[in-house]
Amino acid sequence: MKYRSLALLSTLVLGAGLAACSSSGGSADGAGAGRTALDVWLMRDSVSAQFQKEFETGFEKAHPEIDVKIQIQEWEGIGEKVTAALASNDAPDVIEVGNTQVAQYAQSGGLTDFSGRVAELGGGDWLEGLAEPGSYDGRQYGIPYYAANRVVIHRTDLFEKAGIDPSRIRTRGQWIAATRKLNTGGTQGIYLPGQNWYVLSGFVWDEGGDLAVQSGGGWKGGLDSPGALRAMDFYRRLQALGKGPKDSDEAQPPQAEVMAKGQVAQIIAVPGGAKVIEEKNPELKGKLGFFPVPGKSADGPGAVFTGGSDLVVPAVAAHQEEAFTLIRELTGDAWQKKLAVAMSYVPNKTTLAGAVADDPGTAAMAAGAVNGHATPNTPQWAAVEAKNPIKEYMTAVLTGEDAGSAAAEASRTITETLGGDS
């Protein structure tokens, strides 16, 4: 999913028409004699202009027979644009898509199946939160590109004043205790809005539950499972240690701006939120730190929602082998390390986390990414997010309604939206 402020996470005008979007009609159109023009769609802000130039130069030096033509696309309206491209005879050769959108495109039969080439791409080390949603019906269509996930952004000065060492917060129980200690005087222990369902999802996964589960060939809402109910209870206890609104999400108001006012000890956000905080309140420069969302036990970090992107190849793309070559390079170790450092992303493999060790925010993000998950892998999940009964459920519980009844109602809505039997 797009690396936005991870609210990160997915706005998928057919403007000037597809003819202007691709130039892959011939093996050497615009590429010079004997060279293959390879059309690539990457999304706005997924790479910097400097990285793009460096990659194009390096790739073409290694593969002089290929002329890479990268076109930067806007996230607004990209879903319709990709759908139209996949149905056309003039599709680009490689497309970056949000990781949770792969199933939607694969369902139509419009993507190339890479199941037999996963080993060539180092798939054994891929982040599960990118690899799993890149598959559909047991076949691998999306190749993990980069990831981003939430961490805890905290005020180092307030932690020090309270005598709390964030490196020793390894479990949710320790986190609650520390947050309770910070929640004193005019300081909120944590600012956690009531409808941050991505954060709740992590707690649900920690408890062995899921937002929806496959059942009898279909999908069934899972918020009323015992594990999911325990997760909601933990969310309720954590949320109470601050003044986050119970009826809105992290974007309303923007939580980084709330923290910038100086009375919040922690928020749960992507590391980039720290830059917003510092811009809004320069007095907080040098006073912000990061740690992974703690787990249920000290055995590992807490589960987090993995946002980010996969790379796909349209089934109708003219240059299948050249497209695979580009994907192998861009998702390979050498370029992944460079991309992670240049863009503060989590690399696509667990074995590459060390590449961002010198960036505290990204390092915390990479540490948490090993326990990354994605939303239920069904093309209909976007319809659930559009209705978002999870948000309504969370507000209901936080304002005093019976959790079991509210969860059962939300699960029924999810089941119906996914086409299951309630």
Side-chain angles (χ1 to χ4, degrees):
M1 193 171 275
K2 174 182 179 288
Y3 176 38
R4 50 195 182 196
S5 64
L6 236 75
L8 200 337
L9 285 123
S10 157
T11 333
L12 282 181
V13 253
L14 215 32
L18 286 174
C21 299
S22 175
S23 62
S24 57
S27 64
D29 290 355
R35 302 185 72 200
T36 297
L38 195 70
D39 290 321
V40 180
W41 286 2
L42 297 183
M43 300 310 301
R44 175 72 61 194
D45 298 327
S46 75
V47 295
S48 64
Q50 181 177 344
F51 178 87
Q52 178 182 335
K53 182 178 180 180
E54 183 181 356
F55 174 74
E56 288 176 339
T57 300
F59 179 83
E60 290 179 358
K61 183 177 180 180
H63 304 279
E65 74 282 5
I66 301 175
D67 182 20
V68 179
K69 296 183 176 298
I70 295 176
Q71 300 177 49
I72 301 299
Q73 305 295 318
E74 302 296 335
W75 284 102
E76 183 69 29
I78 191 60
E80 296 91 336
K81 192 170 184 179
V82 170
T83 298
L86 297 180
S88 75
N89 292 318
D90 191 31
D93 298 294
V94 178
I95 305 176
E96 175 190 347
V97 300
N99 61 324
T100 62
Q101 300 303 315
V102 176
Q104 172 186 333
Y105 303 132
Q107 183 187 42
S108 67
L111 301 181
T112 296
D113 177 10
F114 288 111
S115 301
R117 309 191 76 170
V118 169
E120 291 181 64
L121 298 167
D125 296 320
W126 283 340
L127 293 175
E128 185 63 23
L130 291 179
E132 193 275 333
S135 67
Y136 180 70
D137 274 353
R139 296 184 176 278
Q140 195 72 39
Y141 296 96
I143 306 306
Y145 180 27
Y146 66 83
N149 50 266
R150 291 169 176 78
V151 300
V152 181
I153 301 176
H154 68 284
R155 286 275 301 276
T156 55
D157 56 331
L158 295 179
F159 270 61
E160 184 176 353
K161 182 178 179 182
I164 299 169
D165 180 355
S167 69
R168 298 179 69 86
I169 301 176
R170 304 291 301 280
T171 69
R172 293 194 330 209
Q174 293 167 344
W175 191 21
I176 283 277
T179 303
R180 186 175 291 117
K181 191 173 183 180
L182 291 160
N183 191 44
T184 183
T187 300
Q188 298 181 53
I190 190 169
Y191 178 85
L192 180 59
Q195 294 185 346
N196 195 329
W197 69 278
Y198 287 114
V199 172
L200 173 65
S201 299
F203 301 154
V204 171
W205 293 319
D206 274 340
E207 295 287 352
D210 210 334
L211 305 177
V213 294
Q214 288 187 288
S215 174
W219 287 85
K220 187 178 187 300
L223 292 175
D224 53 346
S225 71
L229 288 170
R230 289 193 298 271
M232 186 63 225
D233 184 62
F234 177 76
Y235 191 101
R236 178 188 58 78
R237 290 188 288 125
L238 184 63
Q239 200 269 343
L241 299 176
K243 299 177 181 178
K246 295 177 172 60
D247 59 353
S248 64
D249 62 21
E250 64 274 23
Q252 300 175 348
Q255 61 180 352
E257 295 183 11
V258 175
M259 191 171 185
K261 294 178 181 178
Q263 282 127 15
V264 172
Q266 307 170 87
I267 60 172
I268 305 170
V270 292
K275 296 179 182 178
V276 176
I277 295 167
E278 292 174 348
E279 287 170 0
K280 295 292 182 180
N281 185 352
E283 292 183 5
L284 294 181
K285 286 187 176 180
K287 298 179 180 179
L288 299 176
F290 314 87
F291 59 88
V293 173
K296 189 176 179 181
S297 74
D299 294 337
V304 289
F305 170 75
T306 301
S309 288
D310 283 9
L311 298 175
V312 300
V313 174
V316 296
H319 310 115
Q320 294 283 327
E321 197 58 34
E322 292 88 348
F324 178 80
T325 298
L326 182 134
I327 287 176
R328 186 179 59 206
E329 293 276 1
L330 189 52
T331 65
D333 291 6
W335 286 107
Q336 278 290 301
K337 291 176 182 178
K338 293 178 181 179
L339 179 67
V341 171
M343 304 301 297
S344 295
Y345 291 150
V346 177
N348 64 0
K349 297 184 182 75
T350 57
T351 51
L352 301 179
V356 293
D358 293 335
D359 182 331
T362 309
M365 196 162 59
V370 300
N371 198 7
H373 296 251
T375 49
N377 192 14
T378 165
Q380 284 74 45
W381 184 254
V384 174
E385 291 195 24
K387 288 186 177 182
N388 221 318
I390 306 171
K391 287 186 173 184
E392 297 174 10
Y393 156 64
M394 296 173 73
T395 294
V397 175
L398 294 175
T399 53
E401 289 191 28
D402 177 71
S405 299
E409 178 59 32
S411 291
R412 278 193 293 272
T413 301
I414 291 173
T415 301
E416 292 168 359
T417 305
L418 296 179
D421 295 325
S422 57

